[in-house]
Structure formats: C-alpha cells, structure tokens
Amino acid sequence: MQLLSYIEKRVTIPKKSIENTVALIDQDCTIPFISRYRKEATGNLDEVQVGEIVNLKKEFETLQKRKESILKSLEEQEVLSSELNKKIEALDNLVDLEDLYLPYKKTRKTKADTARENGLEPLAKIIMAQNANDLEFIASKYIGNQITSPEEALEGARHIIAEWINERIDIRNALRNQYNRFAEITTKVVKSKASEEAAQKFRDYFDWNEHLKRCPSHRLLAILRAEKEGFVKVKISVEEERAIDFIEKKVLKSNNECAKEITVAIKDAFKRLLAPAIANETLSNAKENADETAIAVFVKNLQQLLLSPPLGEKTVLAIDPGFRTGCKVVCLDKQGKLVHNETIYPHEPRKEATQAIKKISTLVNAYKIEAIAIGNGTASRETETLIKKIRFDREVQVFVVSEAGASIYSASKIAREEFPNYDVTVRGAVSIGRRLSDPLAELVKIDAKSIGVGQYQHDVDQTKLKASLDRVVESCVNKVGVNVNTASKSLLSYVSGIGEKLAENIVNYRDINGAFQTREAIKNVPRLGNKAFEQSAAFLRIKDAENPLDDSAVHPESYSVVEKMAGDLKVGIKDLIGNQALIKSIPLEKYTTEKVGLPTLLDIAKELEKPGIDPREKAKMFEFDPNVKTIKDLTTGQILPGIVNNITNFGCFVDIGIKESGLVHISQLTDGFVSDVNEIVTLQQHVKVKVMEVDLDRKRIQLSMNF
C-alpha cells in the first residue's frame, strides 16, 4: 500500500494535486503557505483540503508504523510466511490489521492455551470436523495428568474452539456490522452515589437506554463523563440470540454430537470473548466520532471568536470588576501598552461610587480615552450601570468583554514576562482591554481550551483537540496577517514557518535594532533562514513601509511580477495600488510563467485593490436589559437582548447579562428544520430572545429565538 493511493482512495482530489501537496508537506511547508502561495502546484486546493491530506498522511504513517511493529513480532515468533507478509502489506486499515494479528498476539495465558498444553487441540479439530458421534469415547482417550474425565476433555476442546471462533475475521466483521447497526447503550445509576450533589447534573442518565447510533455526540460524552466520575455504569449490547444464531449459521455444518459441543463453544465465544471486545470497540468508535463532532464544533466556535470584530487602535480604559476587592482599572495606549493602573471601590462593602465616578472621569480626560472595556464577570452589570451614569466631555464607547480565560492568562508565564512588576489583577484587566482592541492578538496567548467556547473539551481526545485548535489558530493568524513591528511573541509564533524560538528571536532583534523597515530586513533575524522567510514573509506586514507591497499579502517572490505590471502601465507601484480601474485593465494572462499561474495572479490583483485589508468586521456596542441582573429577575415570556457566546450541535447558548447563559435549543432557533446551527447564528452575534422556562434549582434557562 503506497501513500498516494491510500490518500487517493479517501478524497475526491486529483492524483497530481495530492502528489504535489505531499511533496510540499515533505519540504516542511505549512498549510496556510501551501493553500495561499502554491495554488498552481496543488490545483487551487483550499486550507481544508490541504489539511485533509496532512491528516491522511499522518494516518498512513501510523498504519505503516504498526505494520512494522507487527512484522517484527511475527519474525521473532518465527511464524512470518511470505503469504502472511503479503496479506499484511496489502491491508489499508488498523482494524483489519489487528484482526489478522490477533492469533499471534502475545497476551496473558488463556483457557485455550491451558487446553493446548493438556494436548486437547486434536480433540478440538475432530469436533470442528463435525463427523464424529461417540464423543465421550473419543474424549476419554485424552484423560491424563491434568484431565480427569471426558467432560473435562470436552470442556478444554470447547475453549480452543471458542478461541478459533473469536479469531475468525469474517465473524468479527459481521458482528461489528450488527453492533454498528443495532447496538444499544444502557446506563444504570450507582445507587450509593445517586444522592450526591455532583451526580444531579447527570440524573437524566440514571436509567437511560437508546440505540447507540442515534445517541448524539453531546449526550454520549455526557454519559461517559458520568461513568468516569463513578455515577453510572454503561453497557453496550446487541440482541444475544440474533448474534449467536448468526455465528451458528457460519460455523455449524451438521446436527450431531459435535454440533452440540460447538453450540456450547459458540455461546462461550460470544459471551466471554467476542461480545466484550466488539462492544468495547464499538463504544470506542462511537466515542471517537463524538470527539470529532465536539472538536469540529469547538473549532468553528474558536475560529469565529478569534476573527471577532476588533475595535482597532484606540486608547482604552479597561475595568476588571469586583465587589470586596474593588474594580481594577487600567489605561492602555493605542498600541495596547499599559500607561496607568489603580483600584476603585464603587460597590459593596465600601460603596465609594462618587469617588469612583470622579476618578474614571479624570482618567478618561487625562489619557484621552476613546473606549471603555468592562469584564463580564462578578459585578459587571453594576459597574456598567455606574459607567453609564458618567457624562464624559467626549464620545466614549462602552463595551462588555468576555473574561473567559483572563485569569488563566494573568497567572501564566507569558503574562509574567510581559508584566513582571504587576500582580495578576492588573494583568487580567490589561487582557480585558486588549481583547476589545484586537481579540485575535490577545486570545492567542491563552490555552484555547480555557476560552470557554467548547463542550466537553476535557473529555475528548486531548492530542486531536490540541492539533485541531492549533491549526485553527494558525489559520486565523495567517488569514489576518501580523504587524511584525508590534506583534507579541505569542502571536508571531503562530505565523507560518515561525514557531516559538524564531518568534522570540524576532522580538529580541526588534528590541535591540528597532522596527523593521523592510521585509527583506527580517532575514537578519538570527536563525531565520531562507525556508522560514519563504513560509512567513507574506504573512508579516510592515506598516508605512517604503515599498507598499511590504504591507500586503503579496509574497516577496512575486514583487517582480507587480513591478513589471506597473512598468508596463508606466506608473509606480504606489500609484497602481488601490487604483481599481488600472488593476482591472491588466491582462493577467500576459504575466503567467512556469511558476506563476492565473490563480496567483488573480490573488495579486485582488490584493492590489485593497492591500493588507483586515478581513474582520468592526466592533459594535451592545446593551443588556438593565432590569435583569440575576436569574431571579427572569420571568417566562420576557423578550431580552443577548449575545451568542457558545454554539453546539443541539443549539446555542446566549449571554443575557447574568451569571448563567440560556440555551436556545435547535428547535427554537427558527421556523422549519435546522441541520446546522452555524447556518442560523454566529458567535458574538447580537440577538433577541424570549424566556421560555427558568429552572432555579438547576440554574437552567430555556430561551427561544422563534417568536
């Protein structure tokens, strides 16, 4: 099995595109670079398609590694024939590979092993031939040191037969099919833990039963979490009689004494060997599918959050609200640099509201504040009400900003390096302010799992989750582009071809030598070689550069093409950029070469029209209902403004300005059937919702957008 044919079987992508993409991956090219700047080689594949090839390449390499391990084991056992070798090499999936290896797998001693040691394999073969009738007489010949009766001999033979049945690939595959189609998942509460407070959130699953294939991913993950925490027992099963009947049809060829022994062995094989193994495998596959679904939801949410609208370069006053410990206030300049910090105490217990209003007014005037960011945690609504009482002598926009993950950042190594002389409260307030100015630049500093836009993120495969989240962060960072002269080490590390070490080198070089004046100067950074420059240069922007292309998504390798275009039009590059009439007049076909094709030229023309434009929208102001501050203020039928703060496959959660977010079930999003929640709502979307039900005991709120 070759890599290219393995991938080709699993995707609808031309073979040449796969071949060229694999070659680029082998050259350590990144997904953003390949999809954006090697369109001619890939046949214009997008990031998703390139990512799919990357995943399948890793999958194939895992399969090959397992094959090598199995072949080595078989050689050591001296059982590797040329025919077995060919069978192994021809396999293209791990399940079939493990089934083929099962008879040779070194495990703990089995009942069948003991029976073989007692010389009972010939008896098992006689029974399986299904010709003999006087089995008691035949079995009596095997009485010896360990075998004291014909019954013991027959029992040992049945253990060997049960193992043979368990190892038959056709039977295992047929049972897999039965489990995939008909398996049921059943839960039973652990009675000794049923009354525990922590168990109550799982009480819906104390006595649950449904077809496994109909169990949605979020429910399966919830059930498995309940099992992991010891509140329920989980069982995966199929109708036993149907499964055993099927095996009997596969194995039985007669209706004699042998058939009776084989029937007993079949039941033993199913109950003791096949059912536990196939049930575990089926649940594992279902969990893997649920993981993939949950990760896909998380990835979509994270992408929307990272690309949420930035306020832009404005002076910001940020407040991390609190009651007893006060509200931490920081002032940030247009580049997000901390210029002032202090604490005010407008709420309980000190109630110094008048002094707080005076202080905020003074700071707004002193630092020419253009926007105020208030964290959405404890005392957020009270702080927002206070701020909106203040009459400023200039227009000041007020925003409530999500605090999710801010505490993680404020105690992190990154925060300590940025603000070694400030405590966690100051760092947290700075993070809130910077999130308003540029969510992407700030959120990349936080472990994505802590941002709060996933479901069951701690229950899914952590390796796959990290890989998927890292990829979406890399995609978003490179889609927007990075100002190489202001970007943090964290942000730079996600730029195509850079990574943590080169990001650190760029920041150190910038601190010593000052701002980069040209993209070419980036090559002077220690250890940043030609390959890293090729991968990263087009994603690194230099504002107000002498060459305007240095602040665009045009790759330096294509500068000569733009220069030729401008020369042919008898204008300078600066005159060409933004001049749509001139750009539209360019006969792009004239500039195609062996390396530069029409896809690249179309991208260049599009970029020249609006160089370096930020694909994100601008931040919009929002106000919660001032009369709703706790869940007790809610009544059925209320119409409230809200912000979508999490999206799942079963609906979306909406922040209505209180501690608890409300759920809009998929059936309450709109009229008609909804197959994908993301088609109806997006993260951070401003919506109107109707309160349908409030459960004060469980602190659950049911909302509707369909009214």
Side-chain angles (χ1 to χ4, degrees), residues 461-499:
D461 185 306
Q462 295 301 295
T463 304
K464 286 183 179 178
L465 177 63
K466 186 179 187 310
S468 297
L469 297 183
D470 283 349
R471 188 176 292 177
V472 79
V473 174
E474 179 187 51
S475 172
C476 292
V477 168
N478 290 288
K479 183 176 182 178
V480 172
V482 168
N483 183 337
V484 71
N485 285 323
T486 60
S488 67
K489 184 173 73 174
S490 302
L491 188 59
L492 285 166
S493 69
Y494 282 103
V495 172
S496 167
I498 296 297

Side-chain angles (χ1 to χ4, degrees), residues 43-104:
N44 215 1
L45 299 185
D46 60 26
E47 279 195 20
V48 174
Q49 291 169 306
V50 176
E52 201 172 358
I53 292 173
V54 169
N55 290 342
L56 288 170
K57 184 173 182 289
K58 287 179 181 174
E59 204 176 273
F60 177 80
E61 287 163 355
T62 301
L63 176 66
Q64 291 302 104
K65 194 172 180 181
R66 181 61 179 147
K67 281 184 181 181
E68 288 168 13
S69 173
I70 286 173
L71 288 169
K72 185 180 177 183
S73 172
L74 294 173
E75 279 180 351
E76 289 171 354
Q77 295 177 54
E78 298 181 350
V79 293
L80 183 61
S81 64
S82 58
E83 186 183 349
L84 183 55
N85 197 336
K86 282 179 185 175
K87 281 184 180 178
I88 290 170
E89 291 294 356
L91 292 174
D92 67 351
N93 69 80
L94 281 169
V95 172
D96 289 349
L97 182 62
E98 295 298 343
D99 277 354
L100 187 61
Y101 180 50
L102 187 60
Y104 310 98

Side-chain angles (χ1 to χ4, degrees), residues 622-639:
F622 175 86
E623 287 188 24
F624 291 114
D625 187 315
N627 300 313
V628 176
K629 292 177 183 174
T630 74
I631 192 171
K632 292 178 181 177
D633 296 329
L634 297 178
T635 56
T636 303
Q638 272 177 310
I639 308 296

Side-chain angles (χ1 to χ4, degrees), residues 586-620:
I586 298 171
L588 297 178
E589 296 83 358
K590 175 182 172 183
Y591 300 96
T592 57
T593 66
E594 283 186 16
K595 290 188 176 180
V596 181
L598 205 54
T600 295
L601 291 168
L602 286 166
D603 280 349
I604 290 172
K606 185 178 177 183
E607 186 63 20
L608 290 176
E609 287 183 13
K610 297 176 180 178
I613 191 166
D614 194 323
R616 299 169 292 180
E617 296 177 358
K618 292 296 179 187
K620 296 175 184 174

Side-chain angles (χ1 to χ4, degrees), residues 110-129:
T110 65
K111 290 181 177 182
D113 290 334
T114 303
R116 286 190 187 94
E117 288 172 3
N118 291 329
L120 296 174
E121 190 161 16
L123 177 58
K125 288 179 179 178
I126 290 169
I127 296 171
M128 280 302 284

Side-chain angles (χ1 to χ4, degrees), residues 117-177:
E117 288 172 3
N118 291 329
L120 296 174
E121 190 161 16
L123 177 58
K125 288 179 179 178
I126 290 169
I127 296 171
M128 280 302 284
Q130 302 184 44
N131 295 320
N133 271 316
D134 193 359
L135 281 181
E136 189 171 352
F137 172 72
I138 296 170
S140 66
K141 295 179 181 180
Y142 292 88
I143 294 173
N145 291 334
Q146 301 298 321
I147 305 299
T148 60
S149 67
E151 289 76 17
E152 281 189 21
L154 290 171
E155 184 184 27
R158 290 197 300 268
H159 288 153
I160 295 171
I161 293 168
E163 190 171 273
W164 287 341
I165 292 168
N166 178 54
E167 291 170 354
R168 276 185 54 171
I169 293 173
D170 61 331
I171 289 174
R172 294 179 75 86
N173 283 336
L175 280 177
R176 281 190 185 101
N177 185 45

